[in-house]
Amino acid sequence: MIKNYLKTALRNINRYKGFSGINIVSLSIALTGCLIIGLFVWDELQYDKFIKGGENIYRFYTKRTDNTGVTSTASVPPMFATYVQQQYPEVENTNRIIMLNSKMLVENGDVKTYEEKWIATEPSFFNFFPLKFLKGEPNTSLSDPNSIVITEDFAKTFFGSQDPIGKVIKINKSDVVVKGVLANLPPHFHLDFKFIMPLSALGLPKERMQNWQWQQFFTYIKVKPGTNIQQLQNKFQLAVKKEADPKNKERGFTFSPYLQALKDIHLTSSDFIYDNAKRGNADYVKALTIIAIFVLIIAIFNFINLATARSFRRAKEIGVRKVIGADRRQLVLQFTSESVLLAMASIIISVIAALLILPSLNRFTEKNISFPFFSNPLLALSILLAGIVIGILAGIYPALFMSGFQPIKVLKGLKPGAGNTGFSSSLRKGLVIVQFALSALLIVCTTIVYRQITFLHNKDLGFNKDQVIYFDVRGDVEKHPETFKQEILRTPGVVSATAGYGLPGDVLAGDEIIVPGKEGDKTQSVNLFIVDHDYIKTMGLQLVKGRDFSRNFATDTSEAFIINETAVRELGFKTPQNAVGQPLAWNKWEKDSLNPVKKGKIIGVVKDFHYKSLHEKVSAAVLQIYSPVIAKMAVKVKAADLPKTIAFIKSAWNKFSPDYPLDYKFLDENFAIMYKAEDKLSSLLWIFTVMAIFVGCMGLFGLAAFSAEQRTKEIGIRKVLGASVMNIVTMLSKNFLKPVFIASVIAFPVAWWAMNKWLEDFPYRVNISWWIFAVAGIAALLIALITVSFQAIKAALSNPVKNLRAE
Amino acid sequence: MIQLERISKWHMQGGRPVFILKDINMTVAEGEFISIMGPSGSGKSTLLNVIGMLDVPNEGGYNFMGNDVFKMKEKQRSALYKHHIGFVFQAYHLIDELTVYENIETPLLYQDVKGSERKAIVADMLDKFQIVGKKDLFPSQLSGGQQQLVGIARALIAKPKLLLADEPTGNLNSKQGEEIMGLFKELNNEGVTIIQVTHSEKNAEYGSRIINLLDGRIQM
């Protein structure tokens, strides 16, 4: 019996090539999309699943509230770990990783590199994360302050085939001993590093580690199985209120601790300001899943639409089969097996397509996703099973519908069951509406996302990030930055140079500034920029009031501050006019007993500049000259002869600091990276929108063909009666435009809502203007019209005599 | 075998019933060969469809081999005709996607006859109708007469007690028609009860009894 069904199914697929083609192609496209997205989503969900006992590991993060709103960060004060370990018996163990973003110069003889990926942590790290040791021993490898644990690849770079254990390498010029070699990190570990140093190597003073304010540590806790995490969190929130709030409130903010499960770190940390984890974005994963389902729905609806639309063609076969003894169940089985066969063909095509696309996907997502279709029988089986389910989903309604035909009617050549066709044609209209609503939704979302991203990339940041290279100062360049500046300024390719700490898009210092007042001092937390006389010029900041730092005023190096417009408001000066001349004070970082506090005046106000990503609001910024801390240098260069200029800077560097290689970067690179997630989302949205529209159009094309075919006789008669080609095209196309219109009306509020929600996360965003909807609506309409009119024109141009004779 | 009592079928037109069948009383005994005749629109096909249980009248009673047909559920009724009735159509109504062999085999599939048994039955039938050489052809590759042969073979494959034929020779030329009628006669001699609808006096003569229909009524 099944053999017979399959045979008929194959012959039917072959006989109705157009129908089968549309279905197989649209299903294949949709399934390929689903597979690709499925692989991506699956991979995103695998993070940290490999860690044994991981269900008992949590990480702290804090929500900080101040007058600009609420921000979250995974970096917490050192006392969090100390306190929970001491006070709560259900906490078995804790681990802290310090947040440090500096590059380390690693040297072994002639092999030198700067390494960004490293961590400094406590020995308990390996108790939390049982990483595989190729050599060495987890329990003792971090106990000595000058020890280091390195990964396999790192060991190869520095030691080749030698055994690294016990060997000495230099990290930032100090000797450390290799105590362990880790196997390369599993791809689904949320941390990424090349080496681990013991926290003790940093020699942090004890009192710093007893701080409740210094948010500098990523802190993990391991709890006893069965611990009520909500209770633990509540309890600790109260503790933090008591311990940290009083001091925090003085500075105008409070923070509250939260716990996130280890397995959630990867996907639920995307809006943390500071985090060292490899982060995904749960919203984007969800969005992609939804889009994949959209495309699949559109393809399944194509099948239902086309199958019911063409059912009249098969009516005779159905009638005959019933008369010679088929019961409904048998017919349902027959038709469903046809759709299952189509779905299976599609799934095989899409598996092949997914395998072909996978390398590009990996390049695009910078992941290493594998698709072990042939080596994992369970996966292969479930994919094939999914094919069967999709076939059944798509085929069951048309099967039930067609098997309900009354043989007597269809054999007489009547349209099968008038009531039935009525329902099925309104169902078809309904499904087309849903399809186009989904497409219109995607069009609107894609357009808005695209506009927002263009906006992010092109917004005037209030400074000029182009043609600026920057690097860490080291050796003699660090000791004599001014001399080095003068040296490189000798080449015409260098426009200006500035040394300090705090470049836009780079590591920034947060500190407090003191506003002396009649009722005592007020402290306010700000972003602190250590600059020199050339910073404003080099960065292209715009002064709105007052003046720049000047070498003509000797006191500028010790008593002058420049603030931004946000600081004007937050420090309570109201207007830039008013701010200039006001006193400010600051506790120096390197204490000198004579003047621990720098007291000075505001000499100028700069326009707000976006030194962080546009995901964050500009906060108060204070610029000052403070020569003890010079960490970076930024150089504005001319575009012409850039390689020559860079070569010149390099040779100057080598004269000053021959022990350190020059490691420079362009400032705008940092800004490009900031919107990478959005860039990728936008590209994916484009791809899937085009996919959805294409699949939807294929269905519409098929429907239009059937509709034209069904009305061949009518068209013939109308033409004989004098209808023009245009009349006919209009008549045939009109029917399809109404659903598109209704679809737009349904889709637009949903799109508006979704995009509004997405845009809310951006403090700087585009408006959702009405024209986007107009354009999306017109686009959907045009696409539908072009698709449909192709068939309509074909029908309208056909010879009426021939059509009528065929009837 | 068949008793029809006061069968009437109508549809409403402008608020008044238009009768397609009116007060049909009819009895058919096993082994009969009946020809139903009448002009176009006299209700012949409808009557045949009622007998074949493909159509339901508005009024009346129908007893088929001791079963009260109109009191049966849809499922029982289709089981009844599936096993006892074979249909032959004027337009043959073969399934275009299936070969001659498969067309003939299909009713057996629907009755869950086992593969080996099925093969034997179909082979016998092909033999009997002398169409073994054509078994792998598709309907479109056959002449009208050959298609009708296949249609009859298919109707007979499940060994029905009753064969219903709606103008079986309507699309055939006279020579092909004669052959089909000869075949019917033969089948009737073998014990199959046949009811056919026909326009042709000549074909009607093959039957043992003629029922004349005019405007939905049997003419005495």
Side-chain angles (χ1 to χ4, degrees), chain A residues 463 468-472 498-509 528-531 535 538-539 609 611-612 631-635 667 670-671:
Chain A
F463 72 97
V468 176
I469 64 168
Y470 74 99
F471 41 83
D472 291 11
T498 177
Y501 180 59
L503 293 171
D506 194 45
V507 188
L508 295 168
L528 201 61
F529 291 75
I530 308 299
V531 302
Y535 186 87
T538 309
M539 290 299 153
F609 61 109
Y611 49 84
K612 292 188 214 166
K632 311 257 173 174
M633 187 173 287
V635 181
L667 198 62
N670 286 351
F671 285 85

Side-chain angles (χ1 to χ4, degrees), chain A residues 441-462:
Chain A
L441 182 69
L442 286 174
I443 294 177
V444 172
C445 293
T446 306
T447 318
I448 292 174
V449 169
Y450 178 77
R451 270 175 49 83
Q452 171 68 12
I453 282 158
T454 319
F455 171 79
L456 289 179
H457 283 293
N458 297 338
K459 184 173 165 36
D460 175 17
L461 297 176

Side-chain angles (χ1 to χ4, degrees), chain B residues 11 43 48 54 68 98 115 209:
Chain B
H11 59 254
L48 197 73
L54 298 176
D68 189 341
L98 300 183
R209 180 149 68 100

Side-chain angles (χ1 to χ4, degrees), chain A residues 281-515:
Chain A
N281 187 319
D283 288 340
Y284 294 171
V285 166
K286 263 182 236 157
L288 284 177
T289 312
I290 291 171
I291 292 168
I293 294 170
F294 277 8
V295 180
L296 188 61
I297 287 176
I298 292 176
I300 288 178
F301 282 8
N302 271 355
F303 187 92
I304 296 176
N305 275 341
L306 292 177
T308 53
R310 69 153 191 168
S311 61
F312 74 97
R313 269 211 203 162
R314 296 189 66 178
K316 192 193 102 183
E317 178 197 338
I318 296 159
V320 173
R321 282 184 185 274
K322 280 194 145 182
V323 165
I324 61 177
D327 53 40
R328 199 164 173 184
R329 188 179 48 87
Q330 289 163 323
L331 287 176
V332 168
L333 205 65
Q334 182 196 337
F335 294 131
T336 313
S337 58
E338 277 177 29
S339 62
V340 167
L341 205 68
L342 278 178
M344 293 307 274
S346 311
I347 214 145
I348 288 164
I349 293 172
S350 59
V351 164
I352 295 167
L355 285 167
L356 292 175
I357 294 170
L358 193 61
S360 320
L361 176 73
N362 278 332
R363 255 196 314 280
F364 181 74
T365 56
E366 289 165 26
K367 279 167 164 269
N368 200 3
I369 304 169
S370 61
F371 181 27
F373 183 79
F374 296 105
S375 54
N376 185 343
L378 197 70
L379 178 71
L381 211 67
S382 31
I383 286 176
L384 294 179
L385 204 70
I388 293 175
V389 170
I390 287 163
I392 291 172
L393 275 179
I396 193 75
Y397 173 74
L400 285 171
F401 168 69
M402 289 198 281
S403 65
F405 289 172
Q406 291 184 338
I408 173 109
K409 286 190 179 149
V410 294
L411 290 181
K412 270 187 197 158
L414 295 175
K415 296 271 162 59
N420 258 343
T421 12
F423 174 73
S424 93
S425 85
S426 22
L427 176 87
R428 275 204 294 281
K429 273 197 195 109
L431 296 187
V432 168
I433 289 174
V434 175
Q435 288 182 317
F436 265 84
L438 296 178
S439 299
L441 182 69
L442 286 174
I443 294 177
V444 172
C445 293
T446 306
T447 318
I448 292 174
V449 169
Y450 178 77
R451 270 175 49 83
Q452 171 68 12
I453 282 158
T454 319
F455 171 79
L456 289 179
H457 283 293
N458 297 338
K459 184 173 165 36
D460 175 17
L461 297 176
F463 72 97
N464 196 342
K465 65 182 186 320
D466 301 320
Q467 309 297 345
V468 176
I469 64 168
Y470 74 99
F471 41 83
D472 291 11
V473 290
R474 295 175 190 264
D476 278 356
V477 179
E478 186 177 6
K479 282 183 203 128
H480 311 292
E482 273 306 314
T483 330
F484 182 72
K485 269 166 66 181
Q486 295 315 318
E487 175 66 22
I488 57 172
L489 277 167
R490 294 196 301 119
T491 176
V494 171
V495 180
S496 66
T498 177
Y501 180 59
L503 293 171
D506 194 45
V507 188
L508 295 168
D511 203 357
E512 277 118 39
I513 205 85
I514 302 155
V515 187

Side-chain angles (χ1 to χ4, degrees), chain A residues 498-602:
Chain A
T498 177
Y501 180 59
L503 293 171
D506 194 45
V507 188
L508 295 168
D511 203 357
E512 277 118 39
I513 205 85
I514 302 155
V515 187
K518 282 168 211 143
E519 300 104 42
D521 295 351
K522 197 185 110 194
T523 46
Q524 172 77 33
S525 65
V526 296
N527 278 114
L528 201 61
F529 291 75
I530 308 299
V531 302
D532 62 12
H533 297 91
D534 302 311
Y535 186 87
I536 289 182
K537 187 170 74 184
T538 309
M539 290 299 153
L541 302 187
Q542 297 154 35
L543 274 163
V544 288
K545 262 281 133 21
R547 60 176 180 84
D548 190 358
F549 297 111
S550 163
R551 291 191 173 83
N552 298 332
F553 297 85
T555 50
D556 275 6
T557 52
S558 55
E559 293 174 5
F561 296 96
I562 291 178
I563 63 175
N564 70 352
E565 293 166 310
T566 303
V568 169
R569 284 193 303 277
E570 287 190 9
L571 300 179
F573 299 132
K574 298 203 172 71
T575 64
Q577 177 86 50
N578 192 28
V580 174
Q582 297 282 352
L584 278 190
W586 172 67
N587 288 315
K588 289 181 187 170
W589 282 341
E590 313 217 326
K591 313 281 181 211
D592 59 271
S593 47
L594 285 174
N595 287 313
V597 180
K598 173 172 175 176
K599 289 180 182 151
K601 280 194 169 67
I602 297 168

